[in-house]
């Protein structure tokens, strides 16, 4: 898939896209509307900058933009903007059958998302997987930030609660300074397993630990018996 704005289809339950292909969390019935939810969420989890600092940074960011993908600051201090995510999947993911949809290739697939400053890494991953109709668990994937410093490239996995748009704002619009990459977890990372699988691993480890403990106790019990026997022989009268 070539670079372009991402959108989710109408059958997606948790996310919807605006005409500009933006995604935001859909407000459940009986709960506050999306704007109010975003404002509350911003106060709780996104206290990185003051409103004045955000206003200044958004202004400087937009002055540096060269591809028209500017940020918009709302009156409540929440801002929206674009991030580009490189899809680097080592194998074709499991997808729902849909002749009109193509799974992302192993490399070179770039997706441009229009998101809110309140959207988290976990939500971005979920949106990307839904876009490509990937049926695998979001826990099997991770979003990385790739930083370029002094001719060195550093990749760091982001936690699910971090806010990609904040990182984009602070770094500026240049992708050669900061970029985002979606990858599968490295083999052996526990996040890729389901809860029943992890519980089964714990049971196996507990069993192996108990067996090792019993074996160790037997070894030292036998060693103690031999030592006591040797001591009793040594103290026998001549």
């Amino acid at each position: 898939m070539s670079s372009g704005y991402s959108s989710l289809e109408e059958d997606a339950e948790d996310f919807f896209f605006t005409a500009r292909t933006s995604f935001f969390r859909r407000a459940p019935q009986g709960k506050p509307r999306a704007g109010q939810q975003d404002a509350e969420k911003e106060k709780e989890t996104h206290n990185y900058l003051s409103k004045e600092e955000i206003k200044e940074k958004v202004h400087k960011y937009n002055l540096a933009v060269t591809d028209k993908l500017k940020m918009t600051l709302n009156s409540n201090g929440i801002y929206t903007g674009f991030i580009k995510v490189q899809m680097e999947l080592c194998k074709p993911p499991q997808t729902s059958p849909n002749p009109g949809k193509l799974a992302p290739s192993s490399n070179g697939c770039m997706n441009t998302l229009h998101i809110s400053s309140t959207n988290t890494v976990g939500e971005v991953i979920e949106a990307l997987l839904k876009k490509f109709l990937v049926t695998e668990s979001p826990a099997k994937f991770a979003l990385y930030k790739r930083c370029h410093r002094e001719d060195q490239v550093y990749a760091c996995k982001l936690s699910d609660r971090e806010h990609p748009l904040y990182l984009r704002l602070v770094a500026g619009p240049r992708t050669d300074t900061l970029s985002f990459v979606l990858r599968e977890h490295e083999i052996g990372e526990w996040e890729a397993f389901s809860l029943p699988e992890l519980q089964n691993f714990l049971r196996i480890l507990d069993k192996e630990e108990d067996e090792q403990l019993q074996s160790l106790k037997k070894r030292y019990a036998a060693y103690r018996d031999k030592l006591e026997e040797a001591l009793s022989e040594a103290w026998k009268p001549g």
Side-chain angles (χ1 to χ4, degrees):
M1 176 181 175
S2 60
S3 175
Y5 299 152
S6 175
S7 63
L8 293 181
E9 304 306 317
E10 288 77 4
D11 57 356
E13 295 181 0
D14 296 328
F15 295 92
F16 68 97
F17 276 67
T18 68
R20 298 188 65 188
T21 63
S22 310
F23 80 90
F24 301 92
R25 176 67 67 177
R26 188 186 299 277
Q29 294 183 355
K31 292 189 177 182
R33 301 179 70 177
Q36 183 179 351
Q37 282 185 323
D38 281 351
E40 294 172 355
K41 186 176 180 181
E42 185 78 356
K43 291 178 182 178
E44 294 175 358
T45 64
H46 196 57
N47 296 320
Y48 301 110
L49 300 171
S50 67
K51 286 188 178 181
E52 287 301 318
E53 289 173 325
I54 292 174
K55 182 178 180 180
E56 180 181 358
K57 283 191 174 294
V58 168
H59 177 69
K60 290 183 178 179
Y61 183 97
N62 288 339
L63 290 177
V65 166
T66 58
D67 55 8
K68 298 183 180 181
L69 301 181
K70 296 185 177 182
M71 292 196 183
T72 301
L73 178 62
N74 300 318
S75 59
N76 57 5
I78 297 173
Y79 48 97
T80 60
F82 297 84
I83 63 169
K84 295 181 179 181
V85 181
Q86 183 83 19
M87 309 287 283
E88 293 186 357
L89 307 181
C90 60
K91 62 180 180 180
Q94 298 177 8
T95 58
S96 299
N98 189 323
K101 289 291 181 181
L102 294 178
S105 58
S106 58
N107 272 293
C109 181
M110 180 74 73
N111 217 328
T112 302
L113 296 176
H114 186 227
I115 64 175
S116 163
S117 59
T118 60
N119 289 129
T120 63
V121 165
E123 290 171 339
V124 168
I125 293 175
E126 185 178 347
L128 287 170
L129 298 183
K130 285 187 176 182
K131 159 66 181 176
F132 291 106
L133 302 181
V134 176
T135 58
E136 294 178 90
S137 170
K140 293 185 178 181
F141 300 86
L143 190 68
Y144 289 76
K145 64 177 180 180
R146 181 183 288 159
C147 304
H148 301 253
R149 298 174 187 171
E150 300 178 355
D151 298 327
Q152 298 291 327
V153 180
Y154 305 89
C156 176
K157 186 173 73 173
L158 299 173
S159 71
D160 283 348
R161 300 307 303 169
E162 291 189 72
H163 300 81
L165 195 61
Y166 168 75
L167 299 176
R168 181 78 279 163
L169 175 65
V170 173
R174 292 179 52 181
T175 55
D176 60 349
T177 301
L178 173 73
S179 58
F180 296 103
V181 180
L182 182 71
R183 295 176 180 169
E184 294 169 90
H185 281 299
E186 296 292 335
I187 296 176
E189 290 197 38
W190 299 111
E191 294 93 336
F193 295 97
S194 66
L195 184 58
E197 289 174 325
L198 292 173
Q199 291 173 335
N200 189 49
F201 291 152
L202 285 176
R203 285 193 292 268
I204 294 173
L205 289 174
D206 286 341
K207 182 179 178 181
E208 291 181 351
E209 182 182 16
D210 184 64
E211 290 175 351
Q212 290 290 334
L213 181 60
Q214 296 302 323
S215 176
L216 191 63
K217 286 182 176 179
K218 289 180 180 179
R219 285 177 55 194
Y220 278 91
Y223 179 79
R224 183 184 59 193
D225 291 342
K226 290 182 179 180
L227 182 59
E228 290 178 346
E229 183 180 351
L231 287 173
S232 63
E233 289 293 334
W235 285 100
K236 283 184 179 179

